[in-house]
Amino acid sequence: MREFPTMSALPAPPVVETGTASTRRYRPELQGLRALAVALVVVYHVWFDRISGGVDVFFLVSGFLITGQLHRTAARGPIGFTRTWGRQIARLLPAAAVVLVATVVAGLVVLPEARWLQTIREVAASAFFLENWRLAADSIDYSAQHQTASVVQHFWSLSIQVQFYIVWPLLVGAVVLVAGRARLDRTLTRVLAAVLVASLSYSVFLTISDQPLAYFHSLTRVWEFALGGLLALWIDRVDLPQKLRVLLGWTGVLGLVACGAVLQVGSVFPGYAALWPTGAAAFVLLAGATGHPRGADRFLSTRPLRYLGDISYSLYLWHWPVLLYVLVLTDSATAGLEGGMFVILLSLVLAVLTHHLVEEPMRRRSRSPLRQYRLGMVALVLVLASAGVWQAVALVRADHGAAIGDPQHPGAMATVAGYAHVDSGSVEPLPPMVSIADDWARQDDGWTCGPDAAHPPLETCTLATDGEPARRVVVVGDSHAQQYLGALQPIAQRHNWEIVSMLRGACPFSTTSDTEPGNTECLDRNGAAIQAILDMRPDAVFTLASRDVRAGRTEQTPAGFVEAWTRLSDAGIPVLAVRDNPRFDFRPPDCVQEKGRGAPECGAERDAWYPAVPSYVAAPNVPPNVRFLDFSDLLCTPDGQCPAEIGNVLVYMDDNHLTATFTASMAPVVEQRIDAALGW
């Protein structure tokens, strides 16, 4: 699964409108509530690597504010869509643009090159307020799931908020058009209630079936805005005793604090669990201004909290990139007490400066819609221009003018006895560090991909041949098997083999669900793959022989692997089973860039990772059709080290996948051993 740290979920605090009776009545509580939410989220981000449910609080408050504003405007006359959207542009874009541009400049200097392209893509998505959909797409795309959290990942929630600000005026306008102003309250209430029920139901469903996608999906969050909107329509009509309001206020405050301490929001949200923080925030709003000396509103209305609420949007924008850059510069996984204090203080300073020098001046000077839209365009251009410059630098860094297999980049061949090594310090390694995160074995040029109609839900890709193929080889399994296409494709093109791939990330070829227990999709896919192979009867099947090669000699060959091979053995189909590569708890390419090429801590000692006897040797009931291929001698040097770089080629693209460039350098040895194993 992609590394989406739970610390990435803080949204943009809502803009508090001024000048209406309802808003003035709740302004202290709203400011204090958003201040409390942002404070909790920042603290949990910095010290506990988790979140507090603040995203849901801010969405509810945003719905409360804008629905109330739109309702009052619609009751008086036309909504004025251009002016409504212009105000949001003037409030949100200038500060966001300043932070994005600063993030780009700092990233060019601080971030490892392996993270550049991902960050550039996400900066562009954030500039258009589509970062949540960028992350949603990455949660589905297995090739993107192993990326680290980017320094702008927190813009996903601001993106949802801006999308809401675009759609909500249209929704209220449609209600006015259909129902008229006389029935506005009743009709709008029904519409918001329907939106709440539909969105919450979808949120619960999608959270159960695909939680990472649900987390970033706009439609799973709409109900929180709708709940805030219902509160805005009816809260003035709720008359509660003072003691009950005091109880509600403190219940809401304590419930919000407890949410972050009890729930792992990033793994169980949104779904029904989001009712906890939104309910807590609703209690605070229902309590309102109690006038009681011990009421929660007395605490929320204190001057420090109100000021923190004023600057909370800028604090939200700054704290996440500041935290990640500090972690990169200190080469740390967590900030610690002193580092966390530094992150918070620096974020507060930047937030104060941004609020007073950017947010407020731009809001005051941009009163007319023309100026507001012009300001938004300038902000967008500045962000895209800075990202474009970074992209240009990245493209220059990616163009080495070298190719795998040349005398200076032998890769795996450098481990072959008798090879004369080239001094790695004077030759830039391949693939270029800036593009290493995308160094997958691609199935594009020359490949035809699509669903297998005869064996759903299987999807296959076929490498084109020149006429009738000399051999047909099926590559089946997970992404580790996929990376060997880097070696197999040039062999197939030389000998006119047809390669048919049946691949799915995190789903090794097995009759059991070994990576994700209980994953029925993987089981169904493997069942279809076995039947497709039996129907096809290829000359050989290429797959993995083991998995989970980690420190402590944890390599294993699951019984499900053996059972799948046995199903093919009964049909006389040969199996080429490959020993898996190591899996690290860090990213070797990042380590190389931070600690230097040749740093021993960026690799592994063979004896600590690989057992002397492979796990498949001791596996019971291995059928006679299996031929095992052990390429660990190409991943590790004769002196017993498994380094991050061999023959001026980077071996790993992340913490567990070989680069396609390195597997391509393995092709001569792979071909030789396949021929020897099968007698070809």
Side-chain angles (χ1 to χ4, degrees):
M1 182 179 295
R2 179 180 179 176
E3 298 173 8
F4 289 130
T6 57
M7 63 171 66
S8 64
L10 179 64
V15 176
V16 176
E17 298 288 341
T18 59
T20 64
S22 178
T23 301
R24 284 197 299 271
R25 173 181 171 185
Y26 289 97
R27 180 176 174 84
E29 290 71 32
L30 289 171
Q31 290 293 79
L33 181 59
R34 71 193 250 186
L36 176 62
V38 74
L40 287 172
V41 173
V42 171
V43 168
Y44 275 94
H45 282 193
V46 172
W47 281 304
F48 302 109
D49 193 28
R50 46 192 299 178
I51 58 176
S52 66
V55 58
D56 310 279
V57 173
F58 287 125
F59 287 164
L60 178 137
V61 174
S62 295
F64 178 86
L65 291 170
I66 195 171
T67 303
Q69 176 195 358
L70 291 171
H71 172 260
R72 291 185 294 273
T73 302
R76 294 193 302 265
I79 289 178
F81 299 108
T82 302
R83 185 174 297 277
T84 299
W85 291 326
R87 283 198 299 266
Q88 302 305 328
I89 290 173
R91 289 187 177 99
L92 297 177
L93 258 67
V98 167
V99 174
L100 285 174
V101 171
T103 299
V104 167
V105 174
L108 186 58
V109 177
V110 174
L111 280 183
E113 290 183 20
R115 296 172 63 176
W116 282 12
L117 293 180
Q118 173 203 352
T119 306
I120 293 169
R121 287 192 294 264
E122 294 194 22
V123 166
S126 299
F128 288 103
F129 300 105
L130 297 172
E131 172 67 351
N132 67 306
W133 291 113
R134 169 81 260 176
L135 296 175
D138 287 348
S139 74
I140 299 172
D141 181 4
Y142 181 83
S143 66
Q145 290 177 9
H146 293 271
Q147 298 171 352
T148 56
S150 81
V151 289
V152 295
Q153 184 170 304
H154 63 315
F155 269 75
W156 75 268
S157 51
L158 177 59
S159 298
I160 291 180
Q161 187 172 339
V162 170
Q163 294 160 24
F164 165 79
Y165 284 151
I166 293 174
V167 172
W168 220 243
L170 298 175
L171 176 67
V172 176
V175 170
V176 174
L177 183 64
V178 172
R181 291 185 176 83
R183 295 182 296 168
L184 176 60
D185 287 14
R186 180 178 300 178
T187 305
L188 186 56
T189 297
R190 290 174 177 174
V191 169
L192 293 184
V195 169
L196 188 154
V197 171
S199 174
L200 179 57
S201 300
Y202 181 64
S203 180
V204 171
F205 163 76
L206 194 59
T207 301
I208 294 172
S209 60
D210 192 343
Q211 191 272 335
L213 175 61
Y215 197 87
F216 300 112
H217 202 295
S218 298
L219 296 183
T220 63
R221 305 285 184 169
V222 174
W223 70 269
E224 298 170 359
F225 295 100
L227 178 58
L230 289 172
L231 283 172
L233 293 179
W234 294 97
I235 196 169
D236 287 338
R237 309 179 196 189
V238 177
D239 188 13
L240 300 174
Q242 184 187 52
K243 290 183 179 180
L244 179 58
R245 291 165 60 195
V246 171
L247 177 63
L248 283 177
W250 280 114
T251 300
V253 170
L254 296 177
L256 180 58
V257 174
C259 177
V262 175
L263 295 181
Q264 273 286 10
V265 178
S267 59
V268 301
F269 270 48
Y272 59 83
L275 288 167
W276 183 333
T278 53
F283 281 0
V284 173
L285 292 181
L286 286 170
T290 65
H292 195 282
R294 289 188 293 273
D297 55 301
R298 182 79 174 257
F299 161 70
L300 294 174
S301 301
T302 57
R303 182 172 296 181
L305 272 184
R306 293 178 65 176
Y307 182 73
L308 184 62
D310 288 338
I311 67 169
S312 60
Y313 176 50
S314 291
L315 180 59
Y316 144 77
L317 291 174
W318 279 114
H319 91 282
W320 177 248
V322 168
L323 173 61
L324 260 65
Y325 281 136
V326 166
L327 295 180
V328 170
L329 288 171
T330 58
D331 191 22
S332 305
T334 58
L337 179 59
E338 293 182 359
M341 291 299 298
F342 174 78
V343 168
I344 291 176
L345 289 174
L346 179 57
S347 300
L348 283 170
V349 170
L350 293 172
V352 170
L353 293 174
T354 304
H355 176 74
H356 291 290
L357 300 180
V358 179
E359 274 192 83
E360 287 300 300
M362 292 299 101
R363 183 181 63 83
R364 289 194 300 267
R365 296 173 186 174
S366 303
R367 298 290 187 180
S368 70
L370 179 60
R371 286 187 176 182
Q372 291 165 347
Y373 285 97
R374 186 184 300 161
L375 176 63
M377 185 61 65
V378 170
L380 180 62
V381 169
L382 287 175
V383 174
L384 295 181
S386 62
V389 171
W390 196 3
Q391 175 83 9
V393 174
L395 292 176
V396 171
R397 295 288 297 153
D399 185 13
H400 278 192
I404 189 66
D406 66 34
Q408 293 185 321
H409 298 91
M413 298 305 295
T415 63
V416 176
Y419 181 83
H421 290 260
V422 177
D423 178 17
S424 62
S426 61
V427 178
E428 288 290 331
L430 291 177
M433 192 67 75
V434 71
S435 58
I436 193 170
D438 292 328
D439 199 46
W440 291 94
R442 302 292 179 184
Q443 299 172 84
D444 37 38
D445 294 342
W447 291 84
T448 302
C449 299
D452 187 332
H455 306 94
L458 185 65
E459 294 187 1
T460 64
C461 292
T462 303
L463 181 64
T465 59
D466 185 10
E468 187 67 20
R471 306 276 186 188
R472 178 176 286 114
V473 177
V474 170
V475 180
V476 60
D478 61 8
S479 55
H480 283 214
Q482 174 183 334
Q483 290 304 81
Y484 277 96
L485 292 175
L488 294 173
Q489 182 166 338
I491 300 172
Q493 290 171 334
R494 280 198 302 274
H495 299 290
N496 202 38
W497 294 357
E498 180 182 82
I499 296 182
V500 180
S501 69
M502 304 176 181
L503 302 165
R504 184 180 185 273
C507 184
F509 186 52
S510 176
T511 59
T512 55
S513 182
D514 302 296
T515 303
E516 302 175 19
N519 187 336
T520 56
E521 291 183 8
C522 180
L523 292 174
D524 293 343
R525 174 258 177 205
N526 276 331
I530 291 173
Q531 190 57 54
I533 294 170
L534 293 174
D535 293 344
M536 186 185 303
R537 294 188 174 273
D539 295 287
V541 170
F542 188 98
T543 190
L544 291 183
S546 64
R547 64 180 306 272
D548 210 27
V549 178
R550 301 179 186 273
R553 301 182 179 184
T554 58
E555 181 184 33
Q556 58 177 300
T557 298
F561 281 29
V562 178
E563 175 61 25
W565 304 339
T566 302
R567 295 277 301 275
L568 303 184
S569 178
D570 296 341
I573 300 173
V575 173
L576 294 166
V578 183
R579 193 177 194 182
D580 202 8
N581 59 265
R583 296 172 181 261
F584 300 88
D585 58 1
F586 61 92
R587 293 172 178 261
D590 289 354
C591 179
V592 168
Q593 187 156 20
E594 293 167 7
K595 301 184 183 302
R597 297 170 66 183
E601 57 266 44
C602 296
E605 292 186 9
R606 180 189 174 101
D607 289 343
W609 255 255
Y610 280 114
V613 178
S615 59
Y616 46 77
V617 172
N621 305 317
V622 174
N625 66 320
V626 182
R627 302 293 183 269
F628 294 107
L629 301 176
D630 184 356
F631 297 120
S632 60
D633 59 323
L634 301 182
L635 305 179
C636 305
T637 55
D639 62 358
Q641 299 298 312
C642 304
E645 178 186 336
I646 295 176
N648 297 331
V649 175
L650 296 167
V651 181
Y652 303 95
M653 59 176 287
D654 52 30
D655 60 355
N656 72 96
H657 290 94
L658 300 175
T659 63
T661 303
F662 187 80
T663 58
S665 76
M666 296 169 58
V669 178
V670 172
E671 179 179 358
Q672 181 184 40
R673 295 184 185 179
I674 289 177
D675 289 346
L678 298 178
W680 290 357

